[in-house]
């Protein structure tokens, strides 16, 4: 009888084991050999702080969220209780800047949810939501912050669904981003690219009030006078030194060399960002801080603000981005190379998997719900050639080049091959213009017909031809039409403020280079002689003001001197003037005289701050200026380029390319 009871008990235990949740299935392992159990989701109350939390654990990482705010408060990984900052409330968060009408005037709004939901929970993944609908006192948007944690994955997928209803008040948005503040006791090494990574100073090293640093030309730039590590003494730290173009901004982050752990933000797509592929954005910087930005005015200015008027609806999915953690268990020193290479390999996997098939929201469209657009770009500049290595993209309808300031819609970009063929994949259904530009040619391309993309469609545009602005043969040219000032003379940095991390190809990122102009031209301005001068040595990279006193600056006038053996008095010459950047500037053009009203003036243009923020370009502008032949002379001529605004050191502009064309011979 006893034996029968034991057998019955064993049978019951066996049956109970069969009925247990599948969360006890066979463990899997990640690259570091950590056992990954099934996903768990818990809602708890923190005993120490009295706050509510949601905790998601897959056996590799354990992520804590404030409930219902949806702030990432903790990430436990590889024996580290929290890779995030232990003393801040805001450790992993979304925020937004805005201004409104007939509501509380905005400012910075940290986006916190008021409702928590589990969207889906399976053996393979958990997707959770922290949402809020508009109520007075916050930005008039519905926001749904989503987090996805997958089985056997050491990371978090994050995305947001932002919606504005047409009946809501007017709204201007200037910034939307995700930011992470990491544990400063552990993370000291930062990586943005293969040639842009270094041991970093600390936030305490930047403390001006405690005498650890001194302010320079603007608040973001400080000189480290008493850093914790003497190797940083006198270096300049400025978060804008670490910016990156969207097309290159796929992965960046931090490494804890002591814990041999990496923290990375991976952006598999640029479709949800604003401003196109060469828009520059912040990455990682002192804090230790890592951010990913979806909308901002960086390197463009107020033109990037999203303006929503009464009756205007808007909805957009921002992300997902992938917060990836990795570790090195080899014990080899140092771990930086291995962790960085692994982060790049993971980035390639994420890019290949885009658009993700595991996202629950119907607002995020899968691959089969998208379309493909193909074609071949040709350039007709006196003769027909392939548009080699051109940038081609679909963006909301507008004028040529309007994609630079578009903030509301999606953008899909690619590059042509050596024969001009292009394929734009994974395009969301909608109506677009096809835009582009070709290195070596001026101006912006826009295909004459709108492109209507439907789910599952494959649209072939065939041959599309771009005819760059040109009214006649080239008489002379300065620079290379590549939308940057990179090819011009960039002076050597000051040794007493130099950041040695910045390699020679990024010399323009050093602090204070604009001040070199006054030293090079203390009493007179730049004079460039066509045929004798070399733009890589004789054309300063930025047309800036001249400092004449402690707080006094004056406008500067550059001269282009050139010789014409013959002038067509009745013909029209063309000055093609392409700008790579403008910051509170007014460019005036005069021909063969300085003492007259300007022949041409741009008026007040630009707020991209590229000069101060170490950018070799901001927003692109092209001016095709008609020059009557009667203004020119047989023999020596001079074009005067005057930047007329001068209240400080950072008003100015950068030239991309200048060309004088003679009258057409047709």
């Amino acid at each position: 009888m006893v034996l029968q009871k034991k057998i019955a008990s064993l049978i019951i235990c066996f049956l109970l084991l069969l009925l247990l949740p599948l969360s006890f299935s066979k463990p899997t392992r990640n690259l570091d050999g950590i056992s990954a159990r099934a996903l768990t989701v818990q809602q708890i109350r923190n005993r120490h702080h009295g706050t509510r939390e949601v905790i998601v654990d897959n056996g590799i990482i354990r992520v804590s969220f404030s409930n219902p705010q949806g702030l990432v408060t903790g990430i436990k990984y590889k024996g580290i209780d929290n890779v995030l900052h232990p003393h801040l409330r805001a450790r992993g968060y979304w925020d937004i800047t805005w201004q409104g009408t007939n509501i509380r005037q905005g400012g910075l709004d940290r986006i916190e949810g008021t409702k928590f939901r589990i969207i889906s929970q399976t053996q393979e993944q958990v997707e959770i939501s922290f949402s809020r609908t508009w109520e007075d006192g916050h930005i008039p948007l519905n926001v749904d912050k989503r987090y996805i944690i997958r089985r056997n994955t050491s990371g978090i997928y994050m995305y947001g669904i932002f919606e504005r209803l047409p009946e809501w008040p007017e709204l201007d948005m200037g910034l939307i981003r995700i930011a992470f503040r990491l544990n400063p006791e552990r993370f000291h090494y930062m990586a943005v690219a293969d040639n842009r990574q270094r041991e970093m100073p600390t936030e305490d090293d930047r403390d001006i009030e405690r005498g650890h640093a001194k302010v320079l030309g603007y608040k973001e730039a400080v000189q480290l006078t008493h850093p914790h590590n003497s190797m940083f003494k006198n270096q300049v730290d400025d978060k804008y030194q670490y910016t990156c173009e969207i097309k290159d901004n796929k992965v960046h982050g931090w490494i804890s060399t002591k814990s041999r752990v990496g923290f990375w933000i991976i952006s598999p797509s640029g479709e949800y960002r604003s401003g196109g592929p060469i828009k520059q954005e912040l990455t990682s910087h002192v804090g230790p801080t890592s951010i990913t930005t979806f909308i901002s005015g960086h390197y463009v200015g107020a033109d990037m603000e999203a303006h929503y008027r009464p009756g205007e609806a808007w909805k957009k999915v921002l992300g997902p981005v992938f917060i990836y953690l990795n570790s090195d268990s080899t014990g080899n020193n140092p771990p930086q190379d291995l962790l960085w290479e692994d982060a790049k390999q993971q980035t390639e996997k994420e890019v290949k998997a885009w658009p993700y098939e595991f996202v629950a929201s119907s607002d995020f469209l899968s691959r089969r719900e998208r379309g493909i657009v193909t074609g071949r770009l040709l350039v007709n500049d006196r003769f027909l050639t392939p548009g080699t290595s051109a940038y081609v993209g679909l963006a909301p309808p507008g004028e040529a080049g309007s994609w630079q300031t578009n903030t509301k819609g999606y953008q899909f970009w690619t590059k042509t091959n050596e024969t001009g063929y292009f394929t734009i994949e994974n395009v969301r259904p909608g109506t677009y213009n096809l835009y582009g530009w070709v290195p070596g040619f001026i101006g912006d391309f826009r295909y004459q017909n709108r492109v209507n993309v439907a789910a599952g469609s494959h649209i072939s545009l065939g041959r599309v031809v771009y005819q760059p602005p040109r009214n006649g043969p080239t008489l002379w040219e300065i620079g290379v039409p590549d939308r940057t000032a990179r090819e011009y003379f960039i002076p050597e940095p000051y040794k007493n403020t130099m950041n040695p991390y910045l390699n020679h190809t990024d010399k323009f990122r050093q602090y204070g280079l604009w001040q070199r102009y006054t030293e090079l031209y203390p009493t007179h301005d730049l004079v460039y002689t066509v045929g004798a001068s070399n733009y890589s040595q004789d054309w300063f990279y930025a047309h800036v003001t001249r400092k004449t006193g402690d707080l006094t600056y004056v406008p500067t006038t550059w001269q282009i001197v050139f010789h014409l053996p013959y002038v067509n008095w009745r013909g029209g010459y063309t000055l093609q003037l392409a700008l790579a950047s403008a910051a509170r500037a007014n460019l005036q053009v005069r021909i063969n005289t300085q003492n007259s009203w300007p022949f041409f003036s741009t008026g007040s243009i630009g707020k991209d701050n590229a000069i101060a923020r170490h950018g070799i370009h901001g927003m692109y502008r092209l001016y095709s200026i008609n020059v009557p032949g009667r203004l020119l002379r047989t023999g020596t001529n001079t074009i005067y380029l005057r930047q007329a605004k001068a209240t400080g050191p950072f008003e100015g502009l950068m030239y991309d390319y200048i060309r004088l064309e003679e009258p057409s011979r047709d």
Side-chain angles (χ1 to χ4, degrees):
M1 189 72 177
V2 174
L3 180 61
Q4 289 176 331
K5 288 182 178 181
K6 289 183 177 180
I7 293 172
S9 298
L10 289 172
I11 292 172
I12 291 171
C13 291
F14 178 72
L15 291 173
L16 287 172
L17 286 171
L18 290 176
L19 293 173
L20 283 175
L22 291 175
S23 60
F24 291 93
S25 55
K26 183 179 179 181
T28 54
R29 293 181 177 272
N30 70 355
L31 293 177
D32 294 311
I34 305 174
S35 296
R37 61 176 179 271
L39 292 153
T40 61
V41 182
Q42 296 176 285
Q43 298 185 57
I44 66 169
R45 182 174 292 277
N46 190 301
R47 294 179 302 172
H48 303 291
H49 306 290
T51 56
R52 291 185 297 163
E53 291 185 334
V54 175
I55 299 175
V56 183
D57 192 338
N58 70 354
I60 301 174
I61 61 170
R62 183 178 187 268
V63 187
S64 303
F65 306 88
S66 62
N67 185 5
Q69 296 84 4
L71 305 176
V72 183
T73 57
I75 302 176
K76 184 175 182 179
Y77 175 70
K78 286 292 287 186
I80 302 175
D81 285 338
N82 196 353
V83 303
L84 304 182
H85 201 298
H87 305 305
L88 297 177
R89 177 177 180 270
R91 300 167 183 175
Y93 55 90
W94 290 74
D95 60 17
I96 189 167
T97 59
W98 63 284
Q99 293 292 324
T101 303
N102 300 324
I103 50 177
R104 181 182 70 84
Q105 293 300 303
L108 180 67
D109 187 355
R110 185 152 292 145
I111 302 173
E112 298 185 3
T114 57
K115 179 182 179 181
F116 166 69
R117 290 182 298 154
I118 298 177
I119 300 298
S120 63
Q121 183 175 7
T122 68
Q123 294 182 62
E124 297 303 318
Q125 71 177 47
V126 168
E127 180 165 339
I128 57 177
S129 161
F130 299 90
S131 61
R132 81 180 188 202
T133 54
W134 177 48
E135 57 185 36
D136 191 33
H138 292 289
I139 182 170
L141 287 175
N142 291 335
V143 180
D144 189 355
K145 301 186 298 182
R146 300 285 186 95
Y147 301 93
I148 302 171
I149 297 179
R150 311 194 76 204
R151 177 179 170 83
N152 202 32
T153 301
S154 58
I156 317 161
Y157 294 90
M158 303 175 59
Y159 70 104
I161 306 165
F162 288 70
E163 181 181 31
R164 166 191 160 80
L165 300 184
E167 63 268 23
W168 286 353
E170 291 187 43
L171 171 67
D172 294 340
M173 288 192 298
L175 169 73
I176 302 179
R177 68 180 180 182
I178 298 172
F180 280 92
R181 302 293 302 275
L182 305 184
N183 189 325
E185 299 300 319
R186 292 184 180 273
F187 291 92
H188 303 125
Y189 189 90
M190 188 190 76
V192 176
D194 287 338
N195 60 352
R196 300 179 66 194
Q197 45 186 276
R198 67 171 298 200
E199 192 81 14
M200 289 287 286
T202 67
E203 199 163 44
D204 184 63
D205 291 337
R206 290 178 53 92
D207 195 319
I208 297 164
E209 293 183 359
R210 297 175 62 185
H212 296 174
K214 68 177 182 179
V215 177
L216 296 175
Y218 47 93
K219 64 180 181 179
E220 292 88 356
V222 300
Q223 186 173 25
L224 309 177
T225 54
H226 295 88
H228 75 285
N229 188 329
S230 61
M231 69 181 286
F232 302 129
K233 187 174 177 61
N234 291 328
Q235 289 186 22
V236 171
D237 180 74
D238 179 359
K239 65 183 180 180
Y240 293 108
Q241 291 177 322
Y242 312 118
T243 56
C244 187
E245 292 182 345
I246 286 174
K247 65 182 175 60
D248 303 319
N249 190 359
K250 298 294 186 184
V251 58
H252 61 87
W254 290 80
I255 291 171
S256 169
T257 53
K258 180 179 179 180
S259 305
R260 311 183 75 84
V261 163
F263 179 98
W264 311 99
I265 296 182
I266 295 176
S267 301
S269 172
E271 71 177 48
Y272 42 74
R273 298 187 190 275
S274 297
I278 58 173
K279 170 76 162 56
Q280 297 157 102
E281 289 294 1
L282 295 170
T283 57
S284 292
H285 55 81
V286 162
T289 302
S290 270
I291 65 175
T292 184
T293 304
F294 303 101
I295 298 174
S296 87
H298 295 140
Y299 299 93
V300 176
D303 290 337
M304 280 300 295
E305 286 187 357
H307 304 281
Y308 295 93
R309 299 300 173 239
E312 185 176 1
W314 176 73
K315 193 174 191 179
K316 190 173 183 180
V317 179
L318 303 180
V321 297
F322 184 42
I323 309 305
Y324 176 60
L325 290 94
N326 60 0
S327 61
D328 170 28
S329 57
T330 65
N332 298 328
N333 288 314
Q336 291 94 314
D337 289 346
L338 184 63
L339 293 176
W340 171 246
E341 288 302 318
D342 176 69
K344 291 196 299 180
Q345 291 175 20
Q346 186 65 39
T347 301
E348 292 177 2
K349 294 177 183 177
E350 302 300 327
V351 170
K352 187 176 180 180
W354 185 270
Y356 300 128
E357 296 293 331
F358 52 79
V359 177
S361 174
S362 59
D363 292 307
F364 181 81
L365 303 184
S366 64
R367 191 183 301 266
R368 63 182 175 275
E369 297 174 287
R370 301 177 178 227
I372 298 174
V373 177
T374 62
R376 187 188 188 196
L377 179 64
L378 302 174
V379 180
N380 184 13
D381 186 28
R382 294 169 291 179
F383 49 88
L384 206 61
T385 59
T388 303
S389 298
Y391 290 83
V392 181
L394 294 167
E399 300 299 321
S402 60
W403 52 269
Q404 291 185 102
T405 55
N406 183 272
T407 57
K408 298 177 181 178
Y410 299 91
Q411 299 196 30
F412 306 88
W413 287 87
T414 190
K415 287 185 74 173
T416 62
N417 65 15
E418 64 277 4
T419 55
Y421 286 96
F422 63 87
T423 299
I424 305 175
E425 297 182 313
N426 302 318
V427 182
R428 293 175 62 101
T431 299
Y432 303 92
N433 274 136
L434 179 72
Y435 301 98
W437 78 93
V438 187
F441 299 92
I442 61 174
D444 278 287
F445 165 71
R446 188 190 70 166
Y447 184 52
Q448 65 269 24
N449 299 325
R450 291 190 176 183
V451 181
N452 296 304
V453 179
S457 63
H458 188 149
I459 300 171
S460 176
L461 300 178
R463 298 197 335 167
V464 294
V465 179
Y466 172 48
Q467 187 164 345
R470 178 179 289 279
N471 294 320
T474 299
L475 285 169
W476 51 259
E477 58 187 351
I478 300 173
V480 177
D482 62 357
R483 295 180 174 244
T484 81
R486 186 184 294 269
E487 69 270 26
Y488 299 124
F489 176 67
I490 300 173
E492 291 300 315
Y494 293 98
K495 290 184 179 180
N496 64 336
T497 58
M498 186 168 60
N499 187 336
Y501 139 85
L502 301 167
N503 62 56
H504 68 282
T505 60
D506 280 349
K507 190 165 63 173
F508 61 87
R509 298 185 188 277
Q510 295 284 358
Y511 177 83
L513 299 182
W514 52 86
Q515 298 171 175
R516 289 290 198 191
Y517 181 81
T518 298
E519 297 173 5
L520 292 170
Y521 303 95
T523 58
H524 64 280
D525 286 319
L526 182 152
V527 178
Y528 186 92
T529 303
V530 173
S533 300
N534 182 330
Y535 60 75
S536 65
Q537 296 297 322
D538 303 314
W539 190 270
F540 200 73
Y541 80 105
H543 192 161
V544 293
T545 57
R546 179 190 295 108
K547 188 175 183 180
T548 58
D550 289 342
L551 297 173
T552 306
Y553 297 85
V554 297
T556 52
T557 303
W558 292 10
Q559 299 179 41
I560 303 174
V561 180
F562 60 97
H563 182 80
L564 291 179
Y566 165 80
V567 175
N568 182 341
W569 307 106
R570 297 182 178 179
Y573 293 73
T574 303
L575 181 66
Q576 302 284 9
L577 201 156
L579 300 182
S581 165
R584 297 169 298 280
N586 181 8
L587 179 61
Q588 300 174 347
V589 180
R590 293 175 173 84
I591 310 291
N592 285 326
T593 178
Q594 291 194 71
N595 303 316
S596 65
W597 287 101
F599 173 72
F600 171 84
S601 175
T602 62
S604 182
I605 57 171
K607 292 183 179 179
D608 63 35
N609 286 331
I611 294 171
R613 293 177 173 177
H614 325 290
I616 204 62
H617 70 88
M619 195 169 89
Y620 179 80
R621 292 173 170 85
L622 174 66
Y623 301 94
S624 296
I625 305 168
N626 179 45
V627 181
R630 58 182 169 78
L631 297 181
L632 299 173
R633 305 167 180 161
T634 300
T636 300
N637 292 264
T638 303
I639 293 176
Y640 297 93
L641 302 175
R642 180 175 177 81
Q643 200 297 98
K645 303 187 77 172
T647 61
F650 303 124
E651 285 125 348
L653 47 89
M654 297 181 191
Y655 299 95
D656 168 38
Y657 174 75
I658 304 174
R659 179 172 78 211
L660 183 65
E661 300 169 357
E662 64 179 312
S664 174
R665 297 170 184 172
D666 295 339

